[in-house]
Amino acid sequence: MKNRSRRALCCLLSAALMLAILAMPASGAAGFDDVPNGAWYTAAVKDLVSKGIMSGKGNGRFEPNGSMTRAEFTTMLARTALSEEELKEYNYQGSFSDVGRGNWANKYINWANDNGIVSGSGGKFNPGKMITRQDMAVMLVNYSKAMCIGLPPTTGSVSFHDSGKILSYARESVDACVRAGILKGDNGYFRPADTSKRCEAAQMFSTFLKLGRTPGFSVVRRRVSGVSVRGVSFDPMDYTSNVVMGGSRVNGAESADSIIRRSGAEIAVNGSFFDLETNTPYATIVKNREIVTTFNAYSPAKSAIIMDGSGRWSVENFSTYVTLTAVNFHAPEATAKEVVVNRRPSSPTDGARIIFTRAWGEKLGFAPKYAVQVDDEGYVTEVYRDKDVRIPESGYLIVQSGDRKYQNEFITSICPGSFIDRQVEYKGSGTQDIRHCLGVGPRLVKNGKAYGDANTYAAEGLDGINNFSDDVRVCIGVKPDGDLVIVTAYASLPEMSKVMVGLGCDNAVNLDGGGSANLYAGGFYFTGPRGRLLNNMLTFR
């Protein structure tokens, strides 16, 4: 009897609850009363609201048929790129007289303007003005370029009855959006000057997020410690890394565009400093475990960005020591220490022992007193005197331009058939298995903390490059998880130290900058291309 009473009571409560639910007003989709289920734009609104890109107008309403303002659409772009916390850095008085610090959209407009996505007219942005379809296309294409998002065409160019009404500044953008299937016409008309409804903007932008081809790296476009930076962050394990020399030579020079094209790079950045007259790099450079050139000046204070054999990147400080031992049948072994690689002798009588490989070129370009040809197995095949010699494609030459006062027996004892044992030590490096290396600097971050001052910069040989003034700089850093961060900014070196720490780098260094500053990724330049030819670039394919 007691159980029956309980069951009856449960049935009565369930029926009352059902009646109460039926009596409640029906709620729309995405939490908005005015977004009905099944509308053509409902999925898009849900998508953007869930991602925090769009929001309602209050009181449970989205106002899908309300007009979209320039400020509102700019806000959508900014919220897609950065978090609200990151956008706080943009709460300052920008360049538009009608967008003050108290304007609700101030930080979003400042971000978009700072990154070349939006512009105004006569010093004004007109934030409350309704956005036209053609202006929406322009902003969207500017955003896609800034964020390296490709817009692959799904159809050929489309001609509208009112194509002539599309203003010249918007034609390319409109065509890109239409060909990618992001914007559509209406009965053969595009209606470029018509304003966009909120539901239309939602549908268009949600389609863009689905159809746009996002890169394999993360784009960095934000302010850090008051400095506006732009660049990329990525896992280098996803790429094939390389050091590319201009013209494929130690002293070569080549445009950034040319290096990027022939290397097939998806990401490329200028590397170490070099002499503008001779194109001689001020760096020890290693490519695929082979030393391209050595430069021990300022070592071990001078920093280098390296990749070891496992693919791990780090910042190291070391000196490069190459030692050659000649094993002869007719004479005792002879050893040459601190042998240089691919550096021109300082004079015709310079007694330095120098290795020359094909990275130098096809010929030496001068006639040394001694030149020894060594094959790829380490055996001497020819000995030359006072002759400009062709450099073998495999193996190398040992060159000595003049006699040495001491230890001259190393070069004089060598004859065809001698065996040359070559040993390399990167003294001070955390690894001896260096696959790629670019001597760069100065160091900006060490063990997660800002590093460097006038003394450390001078110790690395960089005391004359306006270190404390704003200049265009390019920097590379390594995060604790192994990801690389490469960014460019107009800032001083101490400011860039704070930036790289703020971007989460455990260690970071400055690369060549100024007229050599070139940072490319995903088909777009973050800085450059510049007219100056480069001696070397670091590439990721």
Side-chain angles (χ1 to χ4, degrees):
M1 186 69 178
K2 184 181 288 186
N3 288 336
R4 288 178 183 174
S5 298
R6 284 179 178 174
R7 283 198 295 271
L9 180 60
C10 287
C11 288
L12 288 171
L13 290 173
S14 297
L17 181 60
M18 183 61 68
L19 288 171
I21 292 174
L22 292 173
M24 291 175 64
S27 178
F32 299 109
D33 297 337
D34 56 352
V35 178
N37 285 304
W40 59 269
Y41 55 81
T42 297
V45 171
K46 283 183 177 180
D47 177 36
L48 299 187
V49 170
S50 68
K51 293 174 179 175
I53 296 171
M54 293 188 80
S55 57
K57 304 292 279 187
N59 298 320
R61 300 184 62 79
F62 182 76
E63 297 186 10
N65 292 312
S67 295
M68 170 68 64
T69 67
R70 286 167 55 81
E72 287 173 331
F73 190 69
T74 302
T75 298
M76 291 170 59
L77 301 177
R79 284 177 172 172
T80 306
L82 297 183
S83 69
E84 288 291 337
E85 185 64 29
E86 291 169 332
L87 284 164
K88 287 181 180 178
E89 283 268 355
Y90 291 88
N91 273 322
Y92 56 83
Q93 179 59 55
S95 58
F96 300 117
S97 61
D98 57 350
V99 183
R101 295 192 64 172
N103 189 297
W104 69 268
N106 175 58
K107 59 185 177 182
Y108 309 115
I109 294 170
N110 283 339
W111 174 82
N113 184 51
D114 190 45
N115 288 287
I117 297 167
V118 302
S119 59
S121 177
K124 294 185 177 182
F125 182 70
N126 295 311
K129 184 179 179 180
M130 304 302 116
I131 191 168
T132 63
R133 285 166 53 80
Q134 64 185 354
D135 280 355
M136 195 160 58
V138 170
M139 289 187 190
L140 189 64
V141 170
N142 287 345
Y143 176 85
S144 69
K145 291 178 179 178
M147 305 306 291
C148 298
I149 298 173
L151 298 179
T154 59
T155 184
S157 295
V158 178
S159 178
F160 298 103
H161 298 315
D162 56 353
S163 291
K165 294 183 179 180
I166 301 173
L167 297 181
S168 59
Y169 73 86
R171 286 171 189 162
E172 185 177 336
S173 298
V174 169
D175 184 62
C177 289
V178 171
R179 293 182 65 195
I182 295 168
L183 281 174
K184 302 182 184 302
D186 180 17
N187 294 320
Y189 291 86
F190 182 72
R191 309 189 193 284
D194 283 7
T195 57
S196 175
K197 296 178 181 179
R198 284 169 54 80
C199 59
E200 292 172 337
Q203 180 65 41
M204 182 274 297
F205 197 65
S206 181
T207 302
F208 163 75
L209 294 179
K210 290 181 176 67
L211 298 182
R213 186 175 60 242
T214 56
F217 50 83
S218 298
V219 172
V220 179
R221 283 190 177 272
R222 50 178 288 205
R223 281 169 63 93
V224 182
S225 298
V227 176
S228 179
V229 297
R230 53 197 182 278
V232 294
S233 175
F234 60 97
D235 183 350
M237 294 294 186
D238 295 336
Y239 296 85
T240 299
S241 311
N242 201 5
V243 175
V244 182
M245 303 302 296
S248 300
R249 294 185 294 111
V250 173
N251 294 344
E254 190 175 351
S255 71
D257 276 342
S258 177
I259 291 175
I260 291 164
R261 281 196 305 271
R262 71 178 177 86
S263 67
E266 183 175 4
I267 301 170
V269 63
N270 51 272
S272 60
F273 289 82
F274 59 96
D275 187 290
L276 292 177
E277 293 184 1
T278 65
N279 297 313
T280 302
Y282 300 131
T284 289
I285 299 177
V286 179
K287 175 184 171 74
N288 293 321
R289 291 192 173 91
E290 290 295 324
I291 297 176
V292 174
T293 187
T294 54
F295 184 77
N296 277 340
Y298 308 107
S299 294
K302 186 172 177 60
S303 302
I305 181 76
I306 74 161
M307 187 187 86
D308 65 19
S310 69
R312 184 184 69 90
W313 288 82
S314 62
V315 179
E316 304 287 344
N317 295 81
F318 58 90
S319 300
T320 304
Y321 290 101
V322 179
T323 301
L324 300 179
T325 300
V327 181
N328 305 299
F329 295 104
H330 66 286
E333 290 185 1
T335 298
K337 297 182 178 180
E338 299 185 30
V339 177
V340 182
V341 179
N342 287 329
R343 312 293 294 197
R344 181 175 288 276
S346 61
S347 71
T349 59
D350 186 356
R353 284 74 64 97
I354 308 172
I355 289 174
F356 284 96
T357 68
R358 262 303 175 93
W360 179 261
E362 292 187 2
K363 297 186 72 175
L364 289 173
F366 59 94
K369 184 169 185 177
Y370 304 97
V372 175
Q373 183 171 311
V374 184
D375 67 18
D376 55 3
E377 293 184 349
Y379 289 95
V380 175
T381 58
E382 296 285 347
V383 175
Y384 303 94
R385 293 290 187 272
D386 302 310
K387 182 179 180 181
D388 186 2
V389 180
R390 183 177 177 83
I391 302 173
E393 291 188 14
S394 59
Y396 56 93
L397 295 178
I398 306 172
V399 168
Q400 190 173 308
S401 284
D403 287 312
R404 297 173 63 91
K405 185 175 182 180
Y406 303 104
Q407 300 176 333
N408 202 53
E409 66 275 7
F410 169 79
I411 199 73
T412 58
S413 67
I414 297 174
C415 64
S418 296
F419 177 76
I420 305 298
D421 178 63
R422 180 171 59 170
Q423 298 294 324
V424 178
E425 180 187 10
Y426 302 111
K427 190 173 183 179
S429 171
T431 178
Q432 293 300 301
D433 183 17
I434 294 180
R435 185 168 183 176
H436 297 313
C437 165
L438 274 175
V440 286
R443 181 188 279 261
L444 302 175
V445 180
K446 187 174 184 179
N447 299 327
K449 296 182 179 180
Y451 176 87
D453 55 29
N455 292 327
T456 65
Y457 301 157
E460 294 196 47
L462 294 164
D463 58 346
I465 58 168
N466 299 319
N467 294 317
F468 290 95
S469 66
D470 288 355
D471 198 359
V472 58
R473 305 197 185 276
V474 185
C475 304
I476 185 169
V478 186
K479 289 185 174 181
D481 62 1
D483 280 7
L484 291 181
V485 178
I486 311 176
V487 295
T488 180
Y490 281 88
S492 67
L493 287 177
E495 287 173 331
M496 289 307 298
S497 291
K498 294 179 182 178
V499 164
M500 300 308 282
V501 170
L503 292 174
C505 296
D506 200 40
N507 289 280
V509 286
N510 177 70
L511 301 175
D512 194 4
S516 299
N518 286 270
L519 173 54
Y520 168 95
F524 303 100
Y525 278 93
F526 289 84
T527 187
R530 299 174 184 274
R532 178 177 295 173
L533 301 181
L534 301 180
N535 173 258
N536 57 85
M537 293 191 83
L538 183 60
T539 66
F540 301 86
R541 181 171 56 86

